[in-house]
Structure formats: C-alpha cells, structure tokens
Amino acid sequence: MTNPLHDALFAPHEGRPTPFLYLQGGGTISHDTFLQEAARMANALGALGVGPGDRVAVHVQKSPQALMLYAACIRAGAVFLPLNTAYTPRELEYFIADSGAALLVCDPGEADVLREIAQDIRVETLGPDGAGSFRDLASGQGAAFAPVPRADNDLAALLYTSGTTGRSKGAMLTQKNLLSNAEALVAAWRFTSDDVLLHALPIFHSHGLFVATNVMLLAGGAMIFLPKFDPDTVLARLPDATTMMGVPTFYTRLLDDPRFGSGSAAHMRLFISGSAPLLAETHRQFEARTGHRILERYGMTETSMNTSNPYDGERRAGTVGFALPGIEVKVCDPDTGADLPQGEIGVLWVRGPNVFEGYWNMPEKTREELREDGFFITGDLARIDADGYVHIVGRGKDLIISGGFNVYPKEIELFLDTLPGVKESAVIGAPHPDLGESVIAVLVPEAGATLDPAALEAAAKRELAGFKRPRHIALLDALPRNTMGKVQKNQLRDRFAKTFQPR
Ligand code: MCA
Ligand code: AMP
C-alpha cells in the first residue's frame, strides 16, 4: 500500500535542489530542504503520539513552516485541519472540540489562551517566522521518515465550512478527493515545472492550499510565497511569476492601482480567479488593461474545483466554464430534485472523485446534501447556456461572500441575539466595491432598551473573526415578516443594502 498524496505531491521532489518557495524577504527554500523539514516535523508528530487518522488542528500565520506541517501530516497519515487565522478563541473552541483533535499547533502569542480552551489536548506553537515549540521539537528529529500507508478513501484533511443553521460543518476530504482534483487542474490549466505561481492567498482554505499549493507540487514548479495580498509586494514580485491565482478582490485591487499596467502582466501565462463571482465588468476591464482574459473557475470546500473556463477556447466573462474532466454537473429543480431542461435555472448538483466523504460527525446533514447516487447538492443556483458554459446566477443558501470568505448570516444572528438589549436580528449582504459583498446587521432592540453601537462593535470584535463583523448596523422597531413569520430579507436588502455607505 502507498500514500497516494505523498507519492504524487512530495516523493518526486526528494533530493531536488530546485527552488520551491521564493520568500518575501528574498530567501528561497528548495524542494529538498522543504521535504527534509517536513520529514522532521512528521517525526515530531510521531513523538507527540499523533498517529494515522488523528486530527491536527492548525491555527498559525502563513509561513513556509506552516506548509511543511501540512506535508508532515500527509506523510504521517494524520488529518490536516487548518483554521482561519482570523478566528477568535470563542470560535476556535468549537472546532477543537468538534473535531476531537489530538494536537493543536497555534501561534505562540495565543498559546496561553488556547491551552485554557483545549485542556485535554496537546498544544504546540509555530510563529509567523517559523519559530516555536513545535519547530524546536522537529529540529531535534531525523530528516528521514517513511510515509505512512494510506488508501484512496482515507481522510487527508478536515476543513470547516460554515452552515445555514449557524453550526460549522467539517468537510471530510480524502486522499483521492485532493489528488484527483490536483491532477485535473494541472492538466486543465497546463501547469508545468517551468511555472512560478504568485501565491498571496491564505493557506487555511481550499483555494490557497489545495488549488494553488497542490497544483504547484504536482506540477513541480515554484511559488512566490507571500504572507498576504499586499499590492506593493504583488506588483514588485509579479515580474518573476508566470501565473497568479486570486479571489476577485485581488483583481479589483490591482485594477484600482495605477501602477498596474499592460507592462506588469505582459509576461504572464495565466491569471485565475475563484471563490466568489468575478464581475463580468472586472473581466472586461482586466482584459482592456492587460490583454489577459482572467480564467474563472468554480468550486467549494466540499468538492474542491468543479468547473473551469477553458485554457484554450473562449473564457466567457460572467461564467465559470465547463465541468472538469471526470466531474459531472447538472441543474436540478430546487423542490423536487428533478433534472431541469438545458437553459433553466435551478440548483447545481455535482458528482465525481472530487466530492467529499461527508460532514464530520453529522450523518443527517450529510444525507441532506450528499445523495446516495454520489451527487452533492451545492446550494448554488445555476444555468447552463446553449454552449455548455455554467453560469452561477445566485445562491439558494443564505450566504454572504466577503473578500472570498464565506459568512453565514445565521451564525452572526445567533451571536447578535445574545447581546444585551437585542430582541432579534437579521444579517444581510450588501454589494461592496472592494470585497464583493459585505455584512450588514439589522437589529431590533428590546422594549425600552437603547443599543450602544460602540458596545455592540466591541462585543463583535471580541467574539467574531474580523471578516464576519457587520460593517454597518441599522436599527428597526420590528423585522418585516411574511404570513408564515419568515423574515423578508429581500425587503431589508432593498431598504438598507442600497443606501449603505461601504467602508
Ligand atoms: C480582512 N478583513 C475583512 C476581510 N479580510 N473584512 C471583510 N472581508 C474580508 N475578506 C478585515 C480585517 O478583519 C481587518 O479589520 C481589516 O479588514 C484589515 O485586515 P487585513 O488582513 O489587512 O485585510 P486585507 O489584507 O485587506 O484582506 C482582504 C483580502 C483577504 C485580501 C481580500 O480577505 C483575502 O486574502 N481573502 C482571500 C479569501 C480566500 O482565500 N478565500 C478562499 C476560500 P479590522 O481593521 O476591523 O480588524 S476557499 C473557497 O471559497 C472555495 C473552495 C473556492 O472556490 O476557492
Ligand atoms: P466555500 O464554502 O468557502 O468553499 O465557498 C464555496 C462557495 O463559493 C460556492 O458554493 C459558491 O457560492 C462560491 N463560489 C466559489 N467560486 C465561485 C465563482 N467562481 N463564482 C461564483 N461563486 C463562487
């Protein structure tokens, strides 16, 4: 038995002195050095008693060492569980408990607080500079580690995605899910060992970790590995790249920068966008400025990538292209589940080797969304045009996507409803020129109560990750409801989303 991800992504690079990561400060980490460090970390996991199938929760800043820890988990057969760096201790408590993680690796600055929360599990640290107790432990270990055998259906990663009920769900991703998708994307987007990807995405989500990193590992190329998307650095390093992947906000920010001209992109092979809708207008402006047609693709945490515009052929603005090879998509009636005729709008269903195993410890949720015939019900509303291009036209799920991060209104409403003086709340998305959408809260005070906006904001800051915090709070005497008692969010959007001043 082998370890499919290790064999395809890591083993081919053993002993290769070729550059893998070009760092912000100017240093370079070769494939070989990366793998040796990862092997030391895999030994460190063993020394900590982490075995195959154990979950390793990781709440650390982006760094080469954080990526080495991912490689170490794959090698050791452990399940990698990356967590958004913006999460607050209150949010982390849920993920740590729900996943039953055996080990938490966190930033040194938060270790004391998290040790209080995660009393039953081992807590080690890894800082943005790669230093910390976990690295110390690893540096005393040997640089050889025989990969732990894994089967196609063994779990490789657990990624939490928020849910419409307010409870986050852990998407169980197998070796086969991740490898089949990386293979499909390398082929579809023509990645080779000559490619240098500008990587400014976070590595705690599917986009930066599986789409960007796994693709580059499989292709054998290099990454300009930046801690975050900062236009100055991106513009300075773009000349050394051949490709870039980003959320739409990356592209609108580049277009907003007068330094970004046709010369900045003339040498580039490919720009790819995903995680949120890329406005057709942005697509056209980008082409007018650079001559490049951004390649838009569509995916989800549960499925990795499903569809992509073609590499050769027309990249059609406002569409997400065709199903990737080996993956089926169809549009179904939201109520009956019946297949809809071509051209009609319905819910998009997806089937293929990319589709996850189900939600961690949530068999009922899994049954609701993942059918026995293998189709996953995405909750996205789509139409397939006469030429076969998939258009994502809306969402059947109550979801806001802010700068590529998902925010489920229910989670924020449940939190707001606990605040003193708040009778009830409704959270909606408003169009935002930089983030695509942003979060607005409408609150109804309890009779006689006066809500203090500063206190509300302070509570939100303490408890909620920054990208989830409402950027605007409006007050109402009562929420508009239909005869069934359901809050009429469309009315709230008409009333507040259009008049709100983005910040
Ligand atoms: C940061 N802030 C945000 C966001 N990011 N607010 C709303 N939405 C956001 N996305 C807030 C911070 O809390 C902070 O608030 C202030 O903005 C500045 O923080 P900073 O970190 O400096 O922000 P930034 O550098 O401007 O970040 C914006 C960003 C970033 C570059 C768009 O959010 C980003 O890299 N997004 C990528 C998301 C992504 O990778 N998604 C993939 C999901 P304060 O000042 O109040 O503290 S995977 C997925 O969706 C599927 C599988 C797919 O198809 O890919
Ligand atoms: P996540 O839960 O973070 O995996 O987000 C997945 C969701 O992001 C999908 O269900 C879509 O709603 C949205 N999404 C991802 N890529 C695109 C895209 N290219 N166009 C529109 N929506 C997208």
Side-chain angles (χ1 to χ4, degrees), residues 459-492:
K461 194 158 191 150
R462 201 170 49 243
E463 306 275 328
L464 295 178
F467 66 92
K468 297 181 192 169
R469 295 201 289 264
R471 294 208 164 204
H472 178 68
I473 295 179
L475 300 180
L476 272 188
D477 290 338
L479 295 176
R481 292 182 187 276
N482 65 14
T483 47
M484 307 293 290
K486 191 170 167 358
V487 176
Q488 303 286 78
K489 288 203 171 177
N490 278 343
Q491 285 189 25
L492 293 175

PDB file of all heavy atoms in Angstrom, residues 459-492:
ATOM      1  N   ALA A 459     -18.228  44.124  21.340  1.00  0.00           N
ATOM      2  CA  ALA A 459     -18.573  42.713  21.573  1.00  0.00           C
ATOM      3  C   ALA A 459     -18.278  41.893  20.321  1.00  0.00           C
ATOM      4  O   ALA A 459     -17.724  40.784  20.401  1.00  0.00           O
ATOM      5  CB  ALA A 459     -20.046  42.590  21.950  1.00  0.00           C
ATOM      6  N   ALA A 460     -18.617  42.452  19.160  1.00  0.00           N
ATOM      7  CA  ALA A 460     -18.363  41.725  17.905  1.00  0.00           C
ATOM      8  C   ALA A 460     -16.869  41.524  17.713  1.00  0.00           C
ATOM      9  O   ALA A 460     -16.414  40.459  17.293  1.00  0.00           O
ATOM     10  CB  ALA A 460     -18.970  42.487  16.731  1.00  0.00           C
ATOM     11  N   LYS A 461     -16.101  42.537  18.050  1.00  0.00           N
ATOM     12  CA  LYS A 461     -14.645  42.453  17.864  1.00  0.00           C
ATOM     13  C   LYS A 461     -14.045  41.357  18.748  1.00  0.00           C
ATOM     14  O   LYS A 461     -13.127  40.648  18.350  1.00  0.00           O
ATOM     15  CB  LYS A 461     -14.025  43.809  18.197  1.00  0.00           C
ATOM     16  CG  LYS A 461     -12.607  43.937  17.737  1.00  0.00           C
ATOM     17  CD  LYS A 461     -12.187  45.375  17.576  1.00  0.00           C
ATOM     18  CE  LYS A 461     -10.859  45.394  16.861  1.00  0.00           C
ATOM     19  NZ  LYS A 461     -10.576  46.496  16.069  1.00  0.00           N
ATOM     20  N   ARG A 462     -14.611  41.236  19.945  1.00  0.00           N
ATOM     21  CA  ARG A 462     -14.098  40.246  20.890  1.00  0.00           C
ATOM     22  C   ARG A 462     -14.433  38.813  20.431  1.00  0.00           C
ATOM     23  O   ARG A 462     -13.638  37.916  20.570  1.00  0.00           O
ATOM     24  CB  ARG A 462     -14.735  40.521  22.252  1.00  0.00           C
ATOM     25  CG  ARG A 462     -14.007  39.968  23.444  1.00  0.00           C
ATOM     26  CD  ARG A 462     -14.565  40.499  24.748  1.00  0.00           C
ATOM     27  NE  ARG A 462     -16.023  40.404  24.840  1.00  0.00           N
ATOM     28  CZ  ARG A 462     -16.840  41.446  24.942  1.00  0.00           C
ATOM     29  NH1 ARG A 462     -16.374  42.678  24.972  1.00  0.00           N
ATOM     30  NH2 ARG A 462     -18.157  41.269  25.025  1.00  0.00           N
ATOM     31  N   GLU A 463     -15.613  38.667  19.889  1.00  0.00           N
ATOM     32  CA  GLU A 463     -16.142  37.313  19.682  1.00  0.00           C
ATOM     33  C   GLU A 463     -16.069  36.795  18.248  1.00  0.00           C
ATOM     34  O   GLU A 463     -16.050  35.598  18.025  1.00  0.00           O
ATOM     35  CB  GLU A 463     -17.623  37.277  20.117  1.00  0.00           C
ATOM     36  CG  GLU A 463     -17.870  37.773  21.526  1.00  0.00           C
ATOM     37  CD  GLU A 463     -17.676  36.699  22.579  1.00  0.00           C
ATOM     38  OE1 GLU A 463     -17.948  35.531  22.279  1.00  0.00           O
ATOM     39  OE2 GLU A 463     -17.229  37.029  23.697  1.00  0.00           O
ATOM     40  N   LEU A 464     -16.095  37.715  17.258  1.00  0.00           N
ATOM     41  CA  LEU A 464     -16.217  37.265  15.866  1.00  0.00           C
ATOM     42  C   LEU A 464     -14.961  37.583  15.069  1.00  0.00           C
ATOM     43  O   LEU A 464     -14.381  38.661  15.215  1.00  0.00           O
ATOM     44  CB  LEU A 464     -17.381  37.991  15.170  1.00  0.00           C
ATOM     45  CG  LEU A 464     -18.803  37.756  15.644  1.00  0.00           C
ATOM     46  CD1 LEU A 464     -19.758  38.625  14.817  1.00  0.00           C
ATOM     47  CD2 LEU A 464     -19.186  36.285  15.503  1.00  0.00           C
ATOM     48  N   ALA A 465     -14.589  36.657  14.194  1.00  0.00           N
ATOM     49  CA  ALA A 465     -13.498  36.918  13.252  1.00  0.00           C
ATOM     50  C   ALA A 465     -13.819  38.194  12.471  1.00  0.00           C
ATOM     51  O   ALA A 465     -14.986  38.459  12.160  1.00  0.00           O
ATOM     52  CB  ALA A 465     -13.363  35.745  12.296  1.00  0.00           C
ATOM     53  N   GLY A 466     -12.765  38.965  12.144  1.00  0.00           N
ATOM     54  CA  GLY A 466     -12.958  40.284  11.530  1.00  0.00           C
ATOM     55  C   GLY A 466     -13.814  40.266  10.280  1.00  0.00           C
ATOM     56  O   GLY A 466     -14.667  41.147  10.087  1.00  0.00           O
ATOM     57  N   PHE A 467     -13.639  39.256   9.430  1.00  0.00           N
ATOM     58  CA  PHE A 467     -14.377  39.261   8.167  1.00  0.00           C
ATOM     59  C   PHE A 467     -15.865  39.011   8.363  1.00  0.00           C
ATOM     60  O   PHE A 467     -16.662  39.254   7.472  1.00  0.00           O
ATOM     61  CB  PHE A 467     -13.772  38.240   7.182  1.00  0.00           C
ATOM     62  CG  PHE A 467     -13.923  36.809   7.615  1.00  0.00           C
ATOM     63  CD1 PHE A 467     -15.014  36.057   7.212  1.00  0.00           C
ATOM     64  CD2 PHE A 467     -12.973  36.201   8.430  1.00  0.00           C
ATOM     65  CE1 PHE A 467     -15.160  34.734   7.612  1.00  0.00           C
ATOM     66  CE2 PHE A 467     -13.105  34.875   8.833  1.00  0.00           C
ATOM     67  CZ  PHE A 467     -14.200  34.147   8.427  1.00  0.00           C
ATOM     68  N   LYS A 468     -16.252  38.536   9.579  1.00  0.00           N
ATOM     69  CA  LYS A 468     -17.676  38.277   9.850  1.00  0.00           C
ATOM     70  C   LYS A 468     -18.368  39.476  10.487  1.00  0.00           C
ATOM     71  O   LYS A 468     -19.589  39.496  10.606  1.00  0.00           O
ATOM     72  CB  LYS A 468     -17.818  37.107  10.829  1.00  0.00           C
ATOM     73  CG  LYS A 468     -17.310  35.778  10.350  1.00  0.00           C
ATOM     74  CD  LYS A 468     -17.577  34.753  11.462  1.00  0.00           C
ATOM     75  CE  LYS A 468     -16.854  33.461  11.222  1.00  0.00           C
ATOM     76  NZ  LYS A 468     -16.918  32.600  12.418  1.00  0.00           N
ATOM     77  N   ARG A 469     -17.570  40.443  10.965  1.00  0.00           N
ATOM     78  CA  ARG A 469     -18.172  41.527  11.754  1.00  0.00           C
ATOM     79  C   ARG A 469     -18.987  42.454  10.859  1.00  0.00           C
ATOM     80  O   ARG A 469     -18.527  42.860   9.792  1.00  0.00           O
ATOM     81  CB  ARG A 469     -17.082  42.342  12.447  1.00  0.00           C
ATOM     82  CG  ARG A 469     -16.318  41.535  13.482  1.00  0.00           C
ATOM     83  CD  ARG A 469     -15.646  42.432  14.483  1.00  0.00           C
ATOM     84  NE  ARG A 469     -14.519  43.165  13.941  1.00  0.00           N
ATOM     85  CZ  ARG A 469     -13.243  42.781  14.044  1.00  0.00           C
ATOM     86  NH1 ARG A 469     -12.926  41.658  14.645  1.00  0.00           N
ATOM     87  NH2 ARG A 469     -12.288  43.521  13.539  1.00  0.00           N
ATOM     88  N   PRO A 470     -20.199  42.816  11.299  1.00  0.00           N
ATOM     89  CA  PRO A 470     -21.012  43.738  10.491  1.00  0.00           C
ATOM     90  C   PRO A 470     -20.270  45.046  10.274  1.00  0.00           C
ATOM     91  O   PRO A 470     -19.695  45.606  11.209  1.00  0.00           O
ATOM     92  CB  PRO A 470     -22.265  43.955  11.350  1.00  0.00           C
ATOM     93  CG  PRO A 470     -22.327  42.777  12.261  1.00  0.00           C
ATOM     94  CD  PRO A 470     -20.902  42.377  12.515  1.00  0.00           C
ATOM     95  N   ARG A 471     -20.284  45.505   9.034  1.00  0.00           N
ATOM     96  CA  ARG A 471     -19.644  46.789   8.727  1.00  0.00           C
ATOM     97  C   ARG A 471     -20.633  47.928   8.880  1.00  0.00           C
ATOM     98  O   ARG A 471     -20.272  49.094   8.778  1.00  0.00           O
ATOM     99  CB  ARG A 471     -19.091  46.761   7.314  1.00  0.00           C
ATOM    100  CG  ARG A 471     -17.953  45.761   7.206  1.00  0.00           C
ATOM    101  CD  ARG A 471     -16.959  46.120   6.156  1.00  0.00           C
ATOM    102  NE  ARG A 471     -15.740  45.354   6.379  1.00  0.00           N
ATOM    103  CZ  ARG A 471     -14.551  45.717   5.960  1.00  0.00           C
ATOM    104  NH1 ARG A 471     -14.407  46.830   5.283  1.00  0.00           N
ATOM    105  NH2 ARG A 471     -13.490  44.982   6.196  1.00  0.00           N
ATOM    106  N   HIS A 472     -21.889  47.561   9.074  1.00  0.00           N
ATOM    107  CA  HIS A 472     -22.905  48.589   9.288  1.00  0.00           C
ATOM    108  C   HIS A 472     -24.008  47.960  10.139  1.00  0.00           C
ATOM    109  O   HIS A 472     -24.383  46.811   9.911  1.00  0.00           O
ATOM    110  CB  HIS A 472     -23.463  49.048   7.939  1.00  0.00           C
ATOM    111  CG  HIS A 472     -24.544  50.062   8.051  1.00  0.00           C
ATOM    112  ND1 HIS A 472     -24.324  51.339   8.497  1.00  0.00           N
ATOM    113  CD2 HIS A 472     -25.867  49.982   7.790  1.00  0.00           C
ATOM    114  CE1 HIS A 472     -25.467  52.006   8.501  1.00  0.00           C
ATOM    115  NE2 HIS A 472     -26.413  51.212   8.074  1.00  0.00           N
ATOM    116  N   ILE A 473     -24.505  48.732  11.133  1.00  0.00           N
ATOM    117  CA  ILE A 473     -25.610  48.234  11.959  1.00  0.00           C
ATOM    118  C   ILE A 473     -26.775  49.200  11.829  1.00  0.00           C
ATOM    119  O   ILE A 473     -26.610  50.410  12.029  1.00  0.00           O
ATOM    120  CB  ILE A 473     -25.182  48.096  13.440  1.00  0.00           C
ATOM    121  CG1 ILE A 473     -24.100  47.012  13.563  1.00  0.00           C
ATOM    122  CG2 ILE A 473     -26.382  47.764  14.325  1.00  0.00           C
ATOM    123  CD1 ILE A 473     -23.570  46.782  14.969  1.00  0.00           C
ATOM    124  N   ALA A 474     -27.933  48.678  11.451  1.00  0.00           N
ATOM    125  CA  ALA A 474     -29.144  49.513  11.349  1.00  0.00           C
ATOM    126  C   ALA A 474     -30.139  49.060  12.414  1.00  0.00           C
ATOM    127  O   ALA A 474     -30.135  47.895  12.815  1.00  0.00           O
ATOM    128  CB  ALA A 474     -29.752  49.357   9.961  1.00  0.00           C
ATOM    129  N   LEU A 475     -30.961  49.997  12.871  1.00  0.00           N
ATOM    130  CA  LEU A 475     -31.954  49.652  13.904  1.00  0.00           C
ATOM    131  C   LEU A 475     -33.364  49.748  13.332  1.00  0.00           C
ATOM    132  O   LEU A 475     -33.661  50.634  12.522  1.00  0.00           O
ATOM    133  CB  LEU A 475     -31.828  50.617  15.092  1.00  0.00           C
ATOM    134  CG  LEU A 475     -30.467  50.622  15.807  1.00  0.00           C
ATOM    135  CD1 LEU A 475     -30.474  51.623  16.961  1.00  0.00           C
ATOM    136  CD2 LEU A 475     -30.112  49.230  16.333  1.00  0.00           C
ATOM    137  N   LEU A 476     -34.218  48.830  13.748  1.00  0.00           N
ATOM    138  CA  LEU A 476     -35.615  48.833  13.327  1.00  0.00           C
ATOM    139  C   LEU A 476     -36.492  48.476  14.524  1.00  0.00           C
ATOM    140  O   LEU A 476     -36.027  47.784  15.434  1.00  0.00           O
ATOM    141  CB  LEU A 476     -35.857  47.754  12.268  1.00  0.00           C
ATOM    142  CG  LEU A 476     -35.659  48.055  10.785  1.00  0.00           C
ATOM    143  CD1 LEU A 476     -36.157  46.864   9.977  1.00  0.00           C
ATOM    144  CD2 LEU A 476     -36.409  49.303  10.361  1.00  0.00           C
ATOM    145  N   ASP A 477     -37.762  48.893  14.487  1.00  0.00           N
ATOM    146  CA  ASP A 477     -38.672  48.524  15.583  1.00  0.00           C
ATOM    147  C   ASP A 477     -39.118  47.066  15.470  1.00  0.00           C
ATOM    148  O   ASP A 477     -39.423  46.419  16.466  1.00  0.00           O
ATOM    149  CB  ASP A 477     -39.917  49.420  15.569  1.00  0.00           C
ATOM    150  CG  ASP A 477     -39.539  50.845  15.975  1.00  0.00           C
ATOM    151  OD1 ASP A 477     -38.485  50.997  16.629  1.00  0.00           O
ATOM    152  OD2 ASP A 477     -40.265  51.783  15.598  1.00  0.00           O
ATOM    153  N   ALA A 478     -39.198  46.578  14.228  1.00  0.00           N
ATOM    154  CA  ALA A 478     -39.603  45.179  14.015  1.00  0.00           C
ATOM    155  C   ALA A 478     -39.059  44.727  12.674  1.00  0.00           C
ATOM    156  O   ALA A 478     -38.897  45.545  11.763  1.00  0.00           O
ATOM    157  CB  ALA A 478     -41.132  45.066  14.020  1.00  0.00           C
ATOM    158  N   LEU A 479     -38.777  43.436  12.551  1.00  0.00           N
ATOM    159  CA  LEU A 479     -38.302  42.910  11.263  1.00  0.00           C
ATOM    160  C   LEU A 479     -39.515  42.625  10.377  1.00  0.00           C
ATOM    161  O   LEU A 479     -40.543  42.133  10.872  1.00  0.00           O
ATOM    162  CB  LEU A 479     -37.513  41.613  11.480  1.00  0.00           C
ATOM    163  CG  LEU A 479     -36.206  41.750  12.267  1.00  0.00           C
ATOM    164  CD1 LEU A 479     -35.578  40.365  12.496  1.00  0.00           C
ATOM    165  CD2 LEU A 479     -35.214  42.657  11.551  1.00  0.00           C
ATOM    166  N   PRO A 480     -39.399  42.920   9.077  1.00  0.00           N
ATOM    167  CA  PRO A 480     -40.530  42.599   8.187  1.00  0.00           C
ATOM    168  C   PRO A 480     -40.668  41.076   8.042  1.00  0.00           C
ATOM    169  O   PRO A 480     -39.669  40.386   7.817  1.00  0.00           O
ATOM    170  CB  PRO A 480     -40.107  43.239   6.851  1.00  0.00           C
ATOM    171  CG  PRO A 480     -38.621  43.356   6.908  1.00  0.00           C
ATOM    172  CD  PRO A 480     -38.244  43.485   8.347  1.00  0.00           C
ATOM    173  N   ARG A 481     -41.869  40.562   8.211  1.00  0.00           N
ATOM    174  CA  ARG A 481     -42.074  39.105   8.112  1.00  0.00           C
ATOM    175  C   ARG A 481     -43.228  38.813   7.173  1.00  0.00           C
ATOM    176  O   ARG A 481     -44.145  39.642   7.039  1.00  0.00           O
ATOM    177  CB  ARG A 481     -42.407  38.518   9.491  1.00  0.00           C
ATOM    178  CG  ARG A 481     -41.232  38.576  10.456  1.00  0.00           C
ATOM    179  CD  ARG A 481     -41.610  37.929  11.797  1.00  0.00           C
ATOM    180  NE  ARG A 481     -40.550  38.124  12.781  1.00  0.00           N
ATOM    181  CZ  ARG A 481     -39.468  37.349  12.886  1.00  0.00           C
ATOM    182  NH1 ARG A 481     -39.295  36.334  12.080  1.00  0.00           N
ATOM    183  NH2 ARG A 481     -38.553  37.598  13.804  1.00  0.00           N
ATOM    184  N   ASN A 482     -43.214  37.624   6.550  1.00  0.00           N
ATOM    185  CA  ASN A 482     -44.358  37.226   5.726  1.00  0.00           C
ATOM    186  C   ASN A 482     -45.396  36.549   6.624  1.00  0.00           C
ATOM    187  O   ASN A 482     -45.194  36.432   7.835  1.00  0.00           O
ATOM    188  CB  ASN A 482     -43.922  36.350   4.541  1.00  0.00           C
ATOM    189  CG  ASN A 482     -43.334  35.017   5.007  1.00  0.00           C
ATOM    190  OD1 ASN A 482     -43.478  34.640   6.174  1.00  0.00           O
ATOM    191  ND2 ASN A 482     -42.676  34.331   4.099  1.00  0.00           N
ATOM    192  N   THR A 483     -46.464  36.061   5.994  1.00  0.00           N
ATOM    193  CA  THR A 483     -47.542  35.498   6.822  1.00  0.00           C
ATOM    194  C   THR A 483     -47.106  34.236   7.555  1.00  0.00           C
ATOM    195  O   THR A 483     -47.691  33.853   8.560  1.00  0.00           O
ATOM    196  CB  THR A 483     -48.765  35.160   5.939  1.00  0.00           C
ATOM    197  OG1 THR A 483     -48.272  34.448   4.808  1.00  0.00           O
ATOM    198  CG2 THR A 483     -49.506  36.410   5.514  1.00  0.00           C
ATOM    199  N   MET A 484     -46.047  33.588   7.046  1.00  0.00           N
ATOM    200  CA  MET A 484     -45.538  32.389   7.724  1.00  0.00           C
ATOM    201  C   MET A 484     -44.587  32.772   8.870  1.00  0.00           C
ATOM    202  O   MET A 484     -44.041  31.907   9.534  1.00  0.00           O
ATOM    203  CB  MET A 484     -44.752  31.509   6.745  1.00  0.00           C
ATOM    204  CG  MET A 484     -45.488  31.150   5.488  1.00  0.00           C
ATOM    205  SD  MET A 484     -46.888  30.068   5.845  1.00  0.00           S
ATOM    206  CE  MET A 484     -45.993  28.585   6.282  1.00  0.00           C
ATOM    207  N   GLY A 485     -44.324  34.071   9.032  1.00  0.00           N
ATOM    208  CA  GLY A 485     -43.428  34.512  10.103  1.00  0.00           C
ATOM    209  C   GLY A 485     -41.970  34.571   9.681  1.00  0.00           C
ATOM    210  O   GLY A 485     -41.085  34.844  10.493  1.00  0.00           O
ATOM    211  N   LYS A 486     -41.682  34.303   8.391  1.00  0.00           N
ATOM    212  CA  LYS A 486     -40.282  34.293   7.925  1.00  0.00           C
ATOM    213  C   LYS A 486     -39.818  35.722   7.635  1.00  0.00           C
ATOM    214  O   LYS A 486     -40.564  36.510   7.036  1.00  0.00           O
ATOM    215  CB  LYS A 486     -40.221  33.443   6.647  1.00  0.00           C
ATOM    216  CG  LYS A 486     -38.831  33.102   6.172  1.00  0.00           C
ATOM    217  CD  LYS A 486     -38.963  32.057   5.049  1.00  0.00           C
ATOM    218  CE  LYS A 486     -37.759  31.779   4.234  1.00  0.00           C
ATOM    219  NZ  LYS A 486     -36.542  32.365   4.328  1.00  0.00           N
ATOM    220  N   VAL A 487     -38.605  36.040   8.077  1.00  0.00           N
ATOM    221  CA  VAL A 487     -38.089  37.401   7.870  1.00  0.00           C
ATOM    222  C   VAL A 487     -37.894  37.651   6.369  1.00  0.00           C
ATOM    223  O   VAL A 487     -37.323  36.819   5.653  1.00  0.00           O
ATOM    224  CB  VAL A 487     -36.743  37.587   8.616  1.00  0.00           C
ATOM    225  CG1 VAL A 487     -36.152  38.959   8.319  1.00  0.00           C
ATOM    226  CG2 VAL A 487     -36.935  37.401  10.116  1.00  0.00           C
ATOM    227  N   GLN A 488     -38.375  38.781   5.899  1.00  0.00           N
ATOM    228  CA  GLN A 488     -38.293  39.142   4.482  1.00  0.00           C
ATOM    229  C   GLN A 488     -36.955  39.845   4.225  1.00  0.00           C
ATOM    230  O   GLN A 488     -36.885  41.077   4.217  1.00  0.00           O
ATOM    231  CB  GLN A 488     -39.450  40.071   4.107  1.00  0.00           C
ATOM    232  CG  GLN A 488     -40.826  39.516   4.386  1.00  0.00           C
ATOM    233  CD  GLN A 488     -41.202  38.428   3.383  1.00  0.00           C
ATOM    234  OE1 GLN A 488     -40.751  37.295   3.504  1.00  0.00           O
ATOM    235  NE2 GLN A 488     -41.978  38.769   2.392  1.00  0.00           N
ATOM    236  N   LYS A 489     -35.930  39.047   3.986  1.00  0.00           N
ATOM    237  CA  LYS A 489     -34.605  39.667   3.821  1.00  0.00           C
ATOM    238  C   LYS A 489     -34.523  40.514   2.562  1.00  0.00           C
ATOM    239  O   LYS A 489     -33.749  41.475   2.507  1.00  0.00           O
ATOM    240  CB  LYS A 489     -33.527  38.585   3.856  1.00  0.00           C
ATOM    241  CG  LYS A 489     -33.327  38.025   5.263  1.00  0.00           C
ATOM    242  CD  LYS A 489     -31.969  37.395   5.440  1.00  0.00           C
ATOM    243  CE  LYS A 489     -31.769  37.062   6.916  1.00  0.00           C
ATOM    244  NZ  LYS A 489     -30.513  36.381   7.185  1.00  0.00           N
ATOM    245  N   ASN A 490     -35.313  40.148   1.552  1.00  0.00           N
ATOM    246  CA  ASN A 490     -35.278  40.966   0.327  1.00  0.00           C
ATOM    247  C   ASN A 490     -35.678  42.409   0.625  1.00  0.00           C
ATOM    248  O   ASN A 490     -35.092  43.347   0.104  1.00  0.00           O
ATOM    249  CB  ASN A 490     -36.201  40.387  -0.739  1.00  0.00           C
ATOM    250  CG  ASN A 490     -35.506  39.255  -1.465  1.00  0.00           C
ATOM    251  OD1 ASN A 490     -34.273  39.144  -1.388  1.00  0.00           O
ATOM    252  ND2 ASN A 490     -36.278  38.424  -2.127  1.00  0.00           N
ATOM    253  N   GLN A 491     -36.698  42.547   1.486  1.00  0.00           N
ATOM    254  CA  GLN A 491     -37.125  43.915   1.852  1.00  0.00           C
ATOM    255  C   GLN A 491     -36.005  44.651   2.579  1.00  0.00           C
ATOM    256  O   GLN A 491     -35.778  45.840   2.369  1.00  0.00           O
ATOM    257  CB  GLN A 491     -38.359  43.861   2.746  1.00  0.00           C
ATOM    258  CG  GLN A 491     -39.627  43.529   1.992  1.00  0.00           C
ATOM    259  CD  GLN A 491     -40.847  43.708   2.897  1.00  0.00           C
ATOM    260  OE1 GLN A 491     -40.817  44.476   3.858  1.00  0.00           O
ATOM    261  NE2 GLN A 491     -41.916  42.992   2.574  1.00  0.00           N
ATOM    262  N   LEU A 492     -35.310  43.925   3.451  1.00  0.00           N
ATOM    263  CA  LEU A 492     -34.207  44.565   4.190  1.00  0.00           C
ATOM    264  C   LEU A 492     -33.091  44.966   3.225  1.00  0.00           C
ATOM    265  O   LEU A 492     -32.498  46.036   3.352  1.00  0.00           O
ATOM    266  CB  LEU A 492     -33.663  43.627   5.265  1.00  0.00           C
ATOM    267  CG  LEU A 492     -34.627  43.310   6.412  1.00  0.00           C
ATOM    268  CD1 LEU A 492     -34.015  42.276   7.358  1.00  0.00           C
ATOM    269  CD2 LEU A 492     -34.966  44.584   7.200  1.00  0.00           C
TER     270      LEU A 492
END
